[in-house]
Amino acid sequence: MENIDTKLREEAKRLLLEKRVDVIVGYEQGTLPLTATPCFITTPEEADKLVWNNLCTQNLAKYVHDLIIAHKNSQKRVKPEDRKKKVIGVVARGCTTRSLIIHLQERQYDRDSVYIIGVPCDGYIDGKGLKVAVGGADISEGSLDGGQIKMKTSDGDKTVALKDVLADNCKTCRFNNPIISDVMIGQNAPAMNPDAEYNDVKEFEGKSIEERWAYFTKEMEKCIRCYACRQACPSCYCPTCFVEQSQPQWVGIGEDPSDTQVFQLMRLFHMVGRCVDCGSCISVCPMGVDLRKFLKKLDKDCFEFFGNRAGSNMEDMPPLGKYDEHHDKGDFVFNP
Amino acid sequence: MAENVATKDWQPKFVAIVCNWCTYAGADLAGISRIQYPTNVRIIRVPCTGRINPFYLVKALQTGADGVLVSG
Amino acid sequence: MLKDNEKVGAVMVVGSGIAGIQASLDLANSGMKVYLVENGISIGGVMAQLDKTFPTNDCSACILSPKLVEVGRHPNVEIKTRRTVNSVEGEPGKFKVKMTSAPRFVNLDKCTGCGDCAKVCPVSVPAGFNGNLSERKAVYRHFPQAIPSGFAIDKVGTSPCKAHCPTHISVQGYVALIAEGKFKEALKLIKQDNPFPIVCGRVCNHPCETACMRAKVDDPIDIMHLKQFVADLDLNSDTRYIPEKKESKGKKVAVVGAGPSGLTCAYYLAIEGYDVDVFEALPVAGGWLAVGIPEYRLPKNVLKAEIKIIEDLGVKIHLNKRVGKDISFDKLKSDYSAIFIGCGTMKSSKLNIPGEDMKGVVHGVDYLLKVNLGEKVSLGDKVAVIGGGNVAMDAVRTAVRTGSKEVFILYRRTRAEMPASPEEIEEAIEEGIEMKFLVAPKKVVGKDGKVTGIECTRMELGEPDASGRRRPVEIKGSEFIVECDAIVPAIGQEADLSFITKESGVSINKWNNVDFDKITYATNVPGIFTGGDVSTGPQTVVKAVFSGKEAAKSIDRYLRGEDMKTGREKDWTKDLADKADLSNFSKVPREKYPLMKPEDRKTNFKEVGLGFSEAQAKAEALRCLSCGVCSECYQCVDACIAKAIDHDMTVTEETIEVGAIIASAGFEIFDARLRGEYGYGIYKNVVSALQFERILSASGPFFGHVQRISDGKEPKKVAFIQCVGSRDTSCGNSWCSSVCCMYATKEAIIGKEHAKGLEPTIFYMDIRAHGKDFDRFVNRAKNEYGIRYIRSMPSVIKELQQTNNLLITYVNQDGTLTEEEFDMVVLSVGLMPPKEAKQLAASLGVELEEHGFCKTSLENPVQTSRPGVFVCGAFGGPKDIPETVMEASAAAACAEGLLAAKRGTMITPVENPEEKDMRGQGVRTGVFVCHCGINIGGVVDVPAVRDYAATLPTVVYTADNLFTCSQDTAVKMKEVIEEQNLTRVVVASCSPRTHEGLFQENCEKAGLNRYLFEMANIRDQNSWVHMHEPKEATEKAKDLLRMAVAKAQYLKPLKPGQLSVNHQALIIGGGLAGMTAAMSLADQGFASFIVEKEDRLGGNYNHLYKTLEGLDAQTHLKGLLDKIYKNPLITVTTGAKIEKIEGFIGNYKTTVKAKDGEKVFEHGVVIVATGAYENKTKEYLYGQNPCVKTQRELETMIYGKDAKLAAVKNIVMINCVGSRDKERPYCSRYCCSEAIKNALELKAADPSRDITIIYRDIRTFAFKEDYYKKAREANIKFISYEEDRKPEVVAAGDKVEVNVFDPILNESITLPADAVVLSVGVVPNPENAAIGQMLKVPTNQDGFFMEAHVKLRPVDFATDGVFMCGMSHSPKFSDETVTSSNAAVSRACTILTLDYIEAEGKTAFVNKERCSACGLCEINCPYSAISVNVAEGCAEVNAVLCKGCGVCTASCRMNAVDLNGFNNEEVLAQIFNLNEG
């Protein structure tokens, strides 16, 4: 890992020095033990902050989009001939590149507006899982050592195997290495366990409609509509989210549970063919709503009905973006 | 809802969101032909089923429809 | 030739079937004024009667109705129904058309189509629209969606009864009302014209019955006693009918004499509001009715009751007041504003023979007067009554009743000449009265001044006299004496005019009658009128009544200072309805009128007639033949709330100036009765195909339930017999009707869909499925529906008595006979020239061809023999709908070509008021709830829905209307919008699909943007489908209305976008199709670019030498090329390839690579004329053996006079090579005709040649059938084969042999051949797909281009601005190609003539703030109407291209794209309002 950090910093410095990029979005060490946090590097000097390890949780594509759109908006007030282009460098693992692909397919920015620094990924630690693994104790210090996480906690020293506390999405990840990149740091990481990708979903599908509905209702009852999931999601980039739209007001702002259901249903619907299973929404959810169950079900359906895996390559558009009057099969209408 | 289903006189209420050119015309034809059907469906006309925002279905169900028919 | 500026920019289209409609629309949409002239009462033709259309089984009414509505509402089209063209004068560019307009009797501006009139109409006649399988009323419309939607009344003239009744009562009317049990209405109707129904129901001489047409079937209707029946009902009812009096006019009229004429005059004057005094010398009122007619015929109390009504109206009758004695005539003159003299003839005429003054001679009049006044008069035992009139009969029968034992009549002629009514004579004879005929009195013989006898002479009949009766001539020396005690001469009466003073100046004529005007009944003295016997001499009661009525009319006019004569002269016999075909009526005996038995009545004065019972009256009335169709009972007038009925409409003439004429008179269905062996018209379960079509129709007589006519049961086995009246020289119809094979297949399929157990069998000679996708349709019928096809023509049908089943005998292919029983038989009747073809052709000055259809030019099938007059549709020959529509458009194009310079000069643009400023008004909704007559109101509680509407938010005005679509409601709606300052209008009525446009126009007229309108469909989708649940339907109506009102809140005023139009056209392909299109466009003044990929123009036409009909194609082509290259408007690029086509309707840019470099054309429309190719076959040794050729190669040899042909003696032709097989399951259409053409040509050159044509089905449709017949007559042999048993061609030295199975011989045979000629058929242009991709238009599974609609839009694409013609569409004959090209041009001109294209207002729009420019909308838009503007970072809509489908909106996660007219707020408002509260 040390090796990767070094290479990453060198590459970042080079890009900034050569003015290939205006900013690099990457991760730096977090202020709390065993955490990493996104950072924005604009000078070669800052590049040494960059880290890349199993603590890097967030999908940085979200920040790429934000930066580019903010820049575009700022340029609207500039005379066309004076407008400047901004290039964003981004440290990207598999799921991040999938999100970038979706952005590109959805014409959010040009390919040359983003410089992708690919990094191999063997999964990130699920913070909540780690907490559980240490029996809820507060962690005061910690370090990653090969496949082990060594910690000082309020309960004393603890060691946990990394593979045991990886995030669910990482455990069965199919795309842990970058799909597209401008430069690749290090070698591709070994494959995870994609064969088990839909195990949970299959089990869920086996249940009765009533059981599934009950589960949905139960999970939705937890939701406090803080919209953290949406904020974290790289695919949620609408200028104005439907929950904030009036004329018409799509979702009530009161406490009616059905409004929460409507919000989540519609957000889930918007994720069909667009969710890269980066786990951002899960990691930020303060209430621990099992969003992934539903997202994964939709992901499975999307693959089965339309042969599409979100952002798996530049050419394969999401289902709604590849409508073909003459060749689409009509049998996607099915019984639940 | 479950208890409603149990009572005999409970009638589900349906909303049909239909295409102006085929299903809506078909519903008119049913009228011209005096084909009788139950009264518990309300038809909403749209220019094409392609116009149907998925929200409509969700909102219809949220509003209390027991079923939504999309036809076109 | 007229100069352009002398022409008229209007076209008359004669005949309004689909051909006329399409032609009208194309013309009107290209800026021509159109007069759409129709014989009948509504437009739509036969297509409106069809249930479905093949091969797509689209509902015929569904696809036709929008066209009906469009043409009905088009501002440039004037529909003229019930018109007959009489003559056409002038020249192309300016014709004067004279027309007759038959009255409709319903004012279309007022009629709302509610049908209340039909409900009360008592006359039912067979509904021709339903193939006479149901009935309709005399006031009717053919079907609910008819255009014009108003009703019409059928009158075929005045019924003879009415015409011959002296008072002209609507006799048929009251008879019809009686039949319906509407007795009060019947009486009221009678009293409109005759205040004496009680009297005339008893003692009328009823000329109506004499005229009654029923007499020609069996006996006349007993009209008189029907009248008595209703009059007696009124007489005995508690509330008797008294007509309504008009307001008093304050004027006094004197009437002299209270007889029928005087009282009638008084009656009608009183109704008009005059004060009438009647002066009567006798102590009783009624005149002759009271004192002449004996009690047993007309009881006194009954008469009194009748007169009482007159008195109840305010007429004062002064009895015992003899004018001249009790009051002077001059005093009347001074006291009254007008006088009517109706004092009758109360003096008996004298015999003027010796001895007349002897005692015992009592004149008839005096005798009856005395008896009737109650005086006892005894005449003695033996009484001789002299005369043959009714007075004589009265006298003689009275004498019987006053006790005379032997009473007899002496009459100088015979019974046949007696003027008395036959029943009077009959009854007298029944009472034992003897009639001595041909006897005339000479002198009275007496003793002591008292009669003892009378001397008579015998007479014989000589020549007829003035009255038409034979004159009696005395036989000399035949005198004899008849003994009697009394003599009653009853030979005539005279008037006593002594009261009329000389000073009064009233002129009296030599017959001692008052002189009068025959129409006004005015005397020579102003203010003095006369009528009845005093003016005419003794006449009948009804004549007296008529004169009184007419005099009253004159007096009213006189007193109001109007001209008395205007409009009153009428010849009632001029337009008699006496021409009906009586052959269909079966005999029903006349109801016997009940009389008292002779022995019971002889001794007293009790009324002899006993009157009909109700059942008898109804039964008798039902015998009426309804000669005039409309009975003129005027029930409709009362029933019509809109006051739309006007029975006084008359035939009018009109002259219209037009620049061109299009004849589209359609066709007639063959009358299957002419093929008697099939029993049509005799066996109930044998129906015509059109009848079966109506049986299948949901709007038909059985609501789509397939049933037999005899018992209403669902049939199982149904036989269709083809070619009934087609391909049949025995009835003079040699032609093939072209459509029957397909419609029979369609009817069999639909029948099977309606009745699952149906087993249809089609008996045919050849299956002619020669149209696009027709063979597929037939294959489906065979394979999927299991419909049985039998190649055989049944020779006879027999009906089985018990079951009404039908036994069909037919010959199998192998010659054996089969007898098979069917439940029902459908005769596939052929298409005939329209009934009026000859008359129409004469009026239009065009020639008919030999079969009676319109003659057309070989080069241009829509050109008639008269320049400027065009023809389209089946009038030019039997054809299918798409060809009809193509011809219609083509005819329109030709007419436009003639009148292009005057385009737009005769049309009136619609001007609407400026839209009102709604700022600051808020939402103010007006709700109109429609009853739709009883369509909605009969189920839904409309007032409750209206009241509910008032409780809804934003609603400020509510109303319910009987018919919201009526003209008056439209006016009202406009007023309400203005008065109430409405900013939204919601109508709860029928379907927006049919009526939205109408209501939107109302809004526009009131200055409200048309898009601020919304509808709730509470009829089609509510009251009609929940007819038995009124409560639930009412709740649903409220829900639907609430949803509509909620949606309306969010409606926005919209402005449609506009797009400029480039007025040039691109034509892809330079064959016959492309060239014709270019010429046609040039005629209309539009430039075009022909892009042809070959090095020369002409395409397939280069290879055609002569058509079957004899057109010299090469000369035609040469002429065409010459014109093309000379025309400055046409740019030809040959050897060219289209690189790309950019843009859209109105604004295309096409890049073409030609030899001389790249060219770019800018144009507004594209016409695809890419043609097709001859199929390249490898079958039958083609290409391997030189003896095997294609038809095209043979044709080249024939016309190239190839010497090698001379040796070719044995020729075998094989048809359907590469057509109708698995690979190409379509028919190439022209090959059969081509084979026959070449075969005939070969045979003509060398009759010794042996020619065999091996075929699947011979498809020489329409008039081409004649050539098939000719070929058979020329001994060309025909052998049929099946697809799975193809013939085989084998080489045999330098010749070939063809092995083929002959189904008639039932064995394989070998035909030696010098030449085998293959009909190889057509394949589509392989480049179609690539061109389709550039234009974004589709091809079908065979590779031909796919039209927008197979029936009604055959040359359009679904994509606007792109059209097709020629064989790019499907295989075609050259003349059909010409037609399709002209059609494409006509369609294209609807765009090219526009300066701007207006877009639909309901288009997508983008909320920029929400858009993330993701581009999903762009990918999904099927019309390329939305795209992302990268620089702006958001999507943009091209409103003209946008069709408003809304696909973009559903794909947008941001909800940034929305759809005007169906925006998210609007739809959600509906969803949120699904439930109340």
mmCIF file with all atom_site columns, all heavy atoms in Angstrom, chain C residues 1430-1443:
data_model
loop_
_atom_site.group_PDB
_atom_site.id
_atom_site.type_symbol
_atom_site.label_atom_id
_atom_site.label_alt_id
_atom_site.label_comp_id
_atom_site.label_asym_id
_atom_site.label_entity_id
_atom_site.label_seq_id
_atom_site.pdbx_PDB_ins_code
_atom_site.Cartn_x
_atom_site.Cartn_y
_atom_site.Cartn_z
_atom_site.occupancy
_atom_site.B_iso_or_equiv
_atom_site.pdbx_formal_charge
_atom_site.auth_seq_id
_atom_site.auth_comp_id
_atom_site.auth_asym_id
_atom_site.auth_atom_id
_atom_site.pdbx_PDB_model_num
ATOM 1  N N   . VAL C 1 1430 ? -25.871 21.807 -26.208 1.00 0.00 ? 1430 VAL C N   1
ATOM 2  C CA  . VAL C 1 1430 ? -24.711 21.581 -25.341 1.00 0.00 ? 1430 VAL C CA  1
ATOM 3  C C   . VAL C 1 1430 ? -24.228 22.899 -24.744 1.00 0.00 ? 1430 VAL C C   1
ATOM 4  O O   . VAL C 1 1430 ? -23.930 22.990 -23.564 1.00 0.00 ? 1430 VAL C O   1
ATOM 5  C CB  . VAL C 1 1430 ? -23.590 20.881 -26.134 1.00 0.00 ? 1430 VAL C CB  1
ATOM 6  C CG1 . VAL C 1 1430 ? -22.378 20.657 -25.245 1.00 0.00 ? 1430 VAL C CG1 1
ATOM 7  C CG2 . VAL C 1 1430 ? -24.094 19.556 -26.690 1.00 0.00 ? 1430 VAL C CG2 1
ATOM 8  N N   . ALA C 1 1431 ? -24.238 23.930 -25.573 1.00 0.00 ? 1431 ALA C N   1
ATOM 9  C CA  . ALA C 1 1431 ? -23.748 25.214 -25.091 1.00 0.00 ? 1431 ALA C CA  1
ATOM 10 C C   . ALA C 1 1431 ? -24.609 25.731 -23.944 1.00 0.00 ? 1431 ALA C C   1
ATOM 11 O O   . ALA C 1 1431 ? -24.109 26.239 -22.940 1.00 0.00 ? 1431 ALA C O   1
ATOM 12 C CB  . ALA C 1 1431 ? -23.734 26.220 -26.239 1.00 0.00 ? 1431 ALA C CB  1
ATOM 13 N N   . GLU C 1 1432 ? -25.892 25.571 -24.087 1.00 0.00 ? 1432 GLU C N   1
ATOM 14 C CA  . GLU C 1 1432 ? -26.807 26.068 -23.053 1.00 0.00 ? 1432 GLU C CA  1
ATOM 15 C C   . GLU C 1 1432 ? -26.912 25.098 -21.880 1.00 0.00 ? 1432 GLU C C   1
ATOM 16 O O   . GLU C 1 1432 ? -27.436 25.438 -20.833 1.00 0.00 ? 1432 GLU C O   1
ATOM 17 C CB  . GLU C 1 1432 ? -28.199 26.288 -23.647 1.00 0.00 ? 1432 GLU C CB  1
ATOM 18 C CG  . GLU C 1 1432 ? -28.307 27.517 -24.518 1.00 0.00 ? 1432 GLU C CG  1
ATOM 19 C CD  . GLU C 1 1432 ? -28.097 28.798 -23.733 1.00 0.00 ? 1432 GLU C CD  1
ATOM 20 O OE1 . GLU C 1 1432 ? -28.674 28.911 -22.633 1.00 0.00 ? 1432 GLU C OE1 1
ATOM 21 O OE2 . GLU C 1 1432 ? -27.337 29.662 -24.201 1.00 0.00 ? 1432 GLU C OE2 1
ATOM 22 N N   . GLY C 1 1433 ? -26.516 23.879 -22.129 1.00 0.00 ? 1433 GLY C N   1
ATOM 23 C CA  . GLY C 1 1433 ? -26.590 22.882 -21.057 1.00 0.00 ? 1433 GLY C CA  1
ATOM 24 C C   . GLY C 1 1433 ? -28.005 22.468 -20.737 1.00 0.00 ? 1433 GLY C C   1
ATOM 25 O O   . GLY C 1 1433 ? -28.326 22.153 -19.597 1.00 0.00 ? 1433 GLY C O   1
ATOM 26 N N   . CYS C 1 1434 ? -28.865 22.507 -21.734 1.00 0.00 ? 1434 CYS C N   1
ATOM 27 C CA  . CYS C 1 1434 ? -30.202 21.979 -21.483 1.00 0.00 ? 1434 CYS C CA  1
ATOM 28 C C   . CYS C 1 1434 ? -30.863 21.575 -22.802 1.00 0.00 ? 1434 CYS C C   1
ATOM 29 O O   . CYS C 1 1434 ? -30.393 21.918 -23.881 1.00 0.00 ? 1434 CYS C O   1
ATOM 30 C CB  . CYS C 1 1434 ? -31.067 22.974 -20.726 1.00 0.00 ? 1434 CYS C CB  1
ATOM 31 S SG  . CYS C 1 1434 ? -31.596 24.333 -21.722 1.00 0.00 ? 1434 CYS C SG  1
ATOM 32 N N   . ALA C 1 1435 ? -31.951 20.819 -22.688 1.00 0.00 ? 1435 ALA C N   1
ATOM 33 C CA  . ALA C 1 1435 ? -32.632 20.303 -23.867 1.00 0.00 ? 1435 ALA C CA  1
ATOM 34 C C   . ALA C 1 1435 ? -33.546 21.366 -24.463 1.00 0.00 ? 1435 ALA C C   1
ATOM 35 O O   . ALA C 1 1435 ? -34.019 22.259 -23.759 1.00 0.00 ? 1435 ALA C O   1
ATOM 36 C CB  . ALA C 1 1435 ? -33.447 19.070 -23.499 1.00 0.00 ? 1435 ALA C CB  1
ATOM 37 N N   . GLU C 1 1436 ? -33.779 21.254 -25.776 1.00 0.00 ? 1436 GLU C N   1
ATOM 38 C CA  . GLU C 1 1436 ? -34.683 22.184 -26.446 1.00 0.00 ? 1436 GLU C CA  1
ATOM 39 C C   . GLU C 1 1436 ? -35.664 21.401 -27.319 1.00 0.00 ? 1436 GLU C C   1
ATOM 40 O O   . GLU C 1 1436 ? -35.309 20.381 -27.899 1.00 0.00 ? 1436 GLU C O   1
ATOM 41 C CB  . GLU C 1 1436 ? -33.875 23.132 -27.349 1.00 0.00 ? 1436 GLU C CB  1
ATOM 42 C CG  . GLU C 1 1436 ? -33.152 24.198 -26.560 1.00 0.00 ? 1436 GLU C CG  1
ATOM 43 C CD  . GLU C 1 1436 ? -32.231 25.016 -27.443 1.00 0.00 ? 1436 GLU C CD  1
ATOM 44 O OE1 . GLU C 1 1436 ? -32.033 24.643 -28.625 1.00 0.00 ? 1436 GLU C OE1 1
ATOM 45 O OE2 . GLU C 1 1436 ? -31.714 26.029 -26.941 1.00 0.00 ? 1436 GLU C OE2 1
ATOM 46 N N   . VAL C 1 1437 ? -36.881 21.914 -27.430 1.00 0.00 ? 1437 VAL C N   1
ATOM 47 C CA  . VAL C 1 1437 ? -37.919 21.223 -28.192 1.00 0.00 ? 1437 VAL C CA  1
ATOM 48 C C   . VAL C 1 1437 ? -38.160 21.955 -29.506 1.00 0.00 ? 1437 VAL C C   1
ATOM 49 O O   . VAL C 1 1437 ? -38.257 23.185 -29.531 1.00 0.00 ? 1437 VAL C O   1
ATOM 50 C CB  . VAL C 1 1437 ? -39.242 21.184 -27.394 1.00 0.00 ? 1437 VAL C CB  1
ATOM 51 C CG1 . VAL C 1 1437 ? -40.340 20.536 -28.219 1.00 0.00 ? 1437 VAL C CG1 1
ATOM 52 C CG2 . VAL C 1 1437 ? -39.055 20.447 -26.083 1.00 0.00 ? 1437 VAL C CG2 1
ATOM 53 N N   . ASN C 1 1438 ? -38.237 21.212 -30.601 1.00 0.00 ? 1438 ASN C N   1
ATOM 54 C CA  . ASN C 1 1438 ? -38.699 21.783 -31.866 1.00 0.00 ? 1438 ASN C CA  1
ATOM 55 C C   . ASN C 1 1438 ? -40.213 21.552 -31.920 1.00 0.00 ? 1438 ASN C C   1
ATOM 56 O O   . ASN C 1 1438 ? -40.682 20.455 -32.196 1.00 0.00 ? 1438 ASN C O   1
ATOM 57 C CB  . ASN C 1 1438 ? -38.005 21.086 -33.038 1.00 0.00 ? 1438 ASN C CB  1
ATOM 58 C CG  . ASN C 1 1438 ? -38.456 21.647 -34.375 1.00 0.00 ? 1438 ASN C CG  1
ATOM 59 O OD1 . ASN C 1 1438 ? -39.561 22.163 -34.507 1.00 0.00 ? 1438 ASN C OD1 1
ATOM 60 N ND2 . ASN C 1 1438 ? -37.586 21.538 -35.365 1.00 0.00 ? 1438 ASN C ND2 1
ATOM 61 N N   . ALA C 1 1439 ? -40.936 22.610 -31.626 1.00 0.00 ? 1439 ALA C N   1
ATOM 62 C CA  . ALA C 1 1439 ? -42.377 22.457 -31.404 1.00 0.00 ? 1439 ALA C CA  1
ATOM 63 C C   . ALA C 1 1439 ? -43.123 21.992 -32.649 1.00 0.00 ? 1439 ALA C C   1
ATOM 64 O O   . ALA C 1 1439 ? -44.182 21.383 -32.554 1.00 0.00 ? 1439 ALA C O   1
ATOM 65 C CB  . ALA C 1 1439 ? -42.963 23.772 -30.912 1.00 0.00 ? 1439 ALA C CB  1
ATOM 66 N N   . VAL C 1 1440 ? -42.590 22.246 -33.816 1.00 0.00 ? 1440 VAL C N   1
ATOM 67 C CA  . VAL C 1 1440 ? -43.291 21.825 -35.029 1.00 0.00 ? 1440 VAL C CA  1
ATOM 68 C C   . VAL C 1 1440 ? -43.148 20.324 -35.259 1.00 0.00 ? 1440 VAL C C   1
ATOM 69 O O   . VAL C 1 1440 ? -44.065 19.653 -35.694 1.00 0.00 ? 1440 VAL C O   1
ATOM 70 C CB  . VAL C 1 1440 ? -42.791 22.626 -36.241 1.00 0.00 ? 1440 VAL C CB  1
ATOM 71 C CG1 . VAL C 1 1440 ? -43.370 22.085 -37.512 1.00 0.00 ? 1440 VAL C CG1 1
ATOM 72 C CG2 . VAL C 1 1440 ? -43.158 24.090 -36.052 1.00 0.00 ? 1440 VAL C CG2 1
ATOM 73 N N   . LEU C 1 1441 ? -41.968 19.830 -34.931 1.00 0.00 ? 1441 LEU C N   1
ATOM 74 C CA  . LEU C 1 1441 ? -41.769 18.393 -35.100 1.00 0.00 ? 1441 LEU C CA  1
ATOM 75 C C   . LEU C 1 1441 ? -42.440 17.606 -33.991 1.00 0.00 ? 1441 LEU C C   1
ATOM 76 O O   . LEU C 1 1441 ? -42.801 16.450 -34.163 1.00 0.00 ? 1441 LEU C O   1
ATOM 77 C CB  . LEU C 1 1441 ? -40.273 18.078 -35.101 1.00 0.00 ? 1441 LEU C CB  1
ATOM 78 C CG  . LEU C 1 1441 ? -39.466 18.629 -36.266 1.00 0.00 ? 1441 LEU C CG  1
ATOM 79 C CD1 . LEU C 1 1441 ? -38.035 18.151 -36.159 1.00 0.00 ? 1441 LEU C CD1 1
ATOM 80 C CD2 . LEU C 1 1441 ? -40.054 18.164 -37.581 1.00 0.00 ? 1441 LEU C CD2 1
ATOM 81 N N   . CYS C 1 1442 ? -42.587 18.242 -32.838 1.00 0.00 ? 1442 CYS C N   1
ATOM 82 C CA  . CYS C 1 1442 ? -43.114 17.527 -31.678 1.00 0.00 ? 1442 CYS C CA  1
ATOM 83 C C   . CYS C 1 1442 ? -44.565 17.140 -31.922 1.00 0.00 ? 1442 CYS C C   1
ATOM 84 O O   . CYS C 1 1442 ? -45.384 17.956 -32.326 1.00 0.00 ? 1442 CYS C O   1
ATOM 85 C CB  . CYS C 1 1442 ? -43.011 18.403 -30.442 1.00 0.00 ? 1442 CYS C CB  1
ATOM 86 S SG  . CYS C 1 1442 ? -43.676 17.612 -28.970 1.00 0.00 ? 1442 CYS C SG  1
ATOM 87 N N   . LYS C 1 1443 ? -44.860 15.860 -31.707 1.00 0.00 ? 1443 LYS C N   1
ATOM 88 C CA  . LYS C 1 1443 ? -46.236 15.381 -31.875 1.00 0.00 ? 1443 LYS C CA  1
ATOM 89 C C   . LYS C 1 1443 ? -46.953 15.311 -30.538 1.00 0.00 ? 1443 LYS C C   1
ATOM 90 O O   . LYS C 1 1443 ? -48.084 14.844 -30.462 1.00 0.00 ? 1443 LYS C O   1
ATOM 91 C CB  . LYS C 1 1443 ? -46.230 13.981 -32.493 1.00 0.00 ? 1443 LYS C CB  1
ATOM 92 C CG  . LYS C 1 1443 ? -45.552 13.906 -33.817 1.00 0.00 ? 1443 LYS C CG  1
ATOM 93 C CD  . LYS C 1 1443 ? -46.514 14.188 -34.946 1.00 0.00 ? 1443 LYS C CD  1
ATOM 94 C CE  . LYS C 1 1443 ? -45.821 14.055 -36.271 1.00 0.00 ? 1443 LYS C CE  1
ATOM 95 N NZ  . LYS C 1 1443 ? -46.236 15.078 -37.213 1.00 0.00 ? 1443 LYS C NZ  1
#
